[in-house]
Amino acid sequence: GYGILEDGTITRPQQLNYDIYGNNLVYKVDSSDQVMKLLDNSFKGFLLKDEDGDLLFAKIDGNAFDKSKDHEKYYQIVNAPSRTVIVEYVKELKDPNSSGWTSSTNNTLSSEYVLNINYYVLNKSNKYEKVKLNNKGALKVFKDKKNKISSFMKSKNIKIETPMDLFQVSEYYHSL
């Protein structure tokens, strides 16, 4: 993958990885197995390549959300250059021993990371609003034009199951 700087230029391709838990971009040093955390804050985004294609991520400020977030973070852009639908990846450490009960110190369960995926669309206020990946969720977010959206989904036979399905509906909403 490669990084995208504030002025739109891109870095040279390298082995990049996105550390979801820490919201950091990490890279592998050329000839070694050493992994380094990228400390350059001038990146406005990055592109990762995998077997399914290219994944574009952009840094979005917490104030761009309907329910404001504490800090800016990288979000996947579903269909660039449009930013009407974005995806947030969140990794949480689930520790079965964190309850504080004395009996939990004697168990053999280990902690594990759990990946949660959240979807957001631009609402009528041009703020990102969290949405469930289904028809009902889209109609709830776009309730000001619910009848038109519902007719559109029926005429195009859209059943929202993927971010690209949600993208089609979101683009139609913003064209009205």
Side-chain angles (χ1 to χ4, degrees):
Y2 55 83
I4 303 167
L5 300 170
E6 290 292 337
D7 64 3
T9 58
I10 58 173
T11 63
R12 66 178 178 81
Q14 53 191 334
Q15 289 186 346
L16 294 177
N17 202 354
Y18 176 44
D19 167 22
I20 297 169
Y21 185 74
N23 191 38
N24 296 308
L25 199 54
V26 294
Y27 64 97
K28 208 172 206 183
V29 180
D30 289 329
S31 59
S32 73
D33 285 340
Q34 187 176 5
V35 176
M36 305 289 284
K37 176 177 149 183
L38 188 68
L39 299 175
D40 189 347
N41 285 333
S42 64
F43 277 33
K44 69 175 184 180
F46 58 90
L47 184 124
L48 298 177
K49 295 180 179 283
D50 75 354
E51 61 274 356
D52 296 331
D54 295 345
L55 302 172
L56 179 65
F57 288 79
K59 196 183 288 184
I60 299 176
D61 190 69
N63 295 326
F65 291 82
D66 194 38
K67 293 181 180 171
S68 199
K69 295 179 174 275
D70 293 338
H71 57 281
E72 67 182 2
K73 185 177 176 179
Y74 290 112
Y75 295 85
Q76 181 188 352
I77 307 300
V78 171
N79 195 9
S82 173
R83 290 184 174 210
T84 60
V85 179
I86 60 172
V87 180
E88 175 187 38
Y89 297 96
V90 180
K91 245 185 185 174
E92 295 180 80
L93 183 63
K94 296 292 184 183
D95 184 2
N97 303 316
S98 65
S99 67
W101 290 90
T102 7
S103 60
S104 66
T105 58
N106 299 328
N107 75 38
T108 57
L109 299 174
S110 59
S111 300
E112 65 182 9
Y113 286 100
V114 177
L115 177 65
N116 296 313
I117 301 174
N118 300 314
Y119 304 94
Y120 294 88
V121 294
L122 272 180
N123 63 18
K124 66 180 179 181
S125 308
N126 273 337
K127 295 277 190 177
Y128 287 107
E129 189 171 336
K130 193 173 186 176
V131 63
K132 290 186 178 177
L133 199 58
N134 58 38
N135 288 19
K136 192 175 176 181
L139 290 172
K140 184 178 176 184
V141 171
F142 300 135
K143 61 184 167 258
D144 60 315
K145 297 179 182 171
K146 183 177 182 176
N147 292 338
K148 288 183 179 182
I149 297 295
S150 184
S151 297
F152 172 76
M153 290 192 308
K154 284 177 186 167
S155 70
K156 300 287 185 180
N157 199 24
I158 296 174
K159 185 173 182 203
I160 298 175
E161 296 175 331
T162 68
M164 279 306 288
D165 297 335
L166 184 59
F167 174 77
Q168 288 179 47
V169 174
S170 180
E171 286 293 299
Y172 176 73
Y173 172 82
H174 286 285
S175 73
L176 296 174

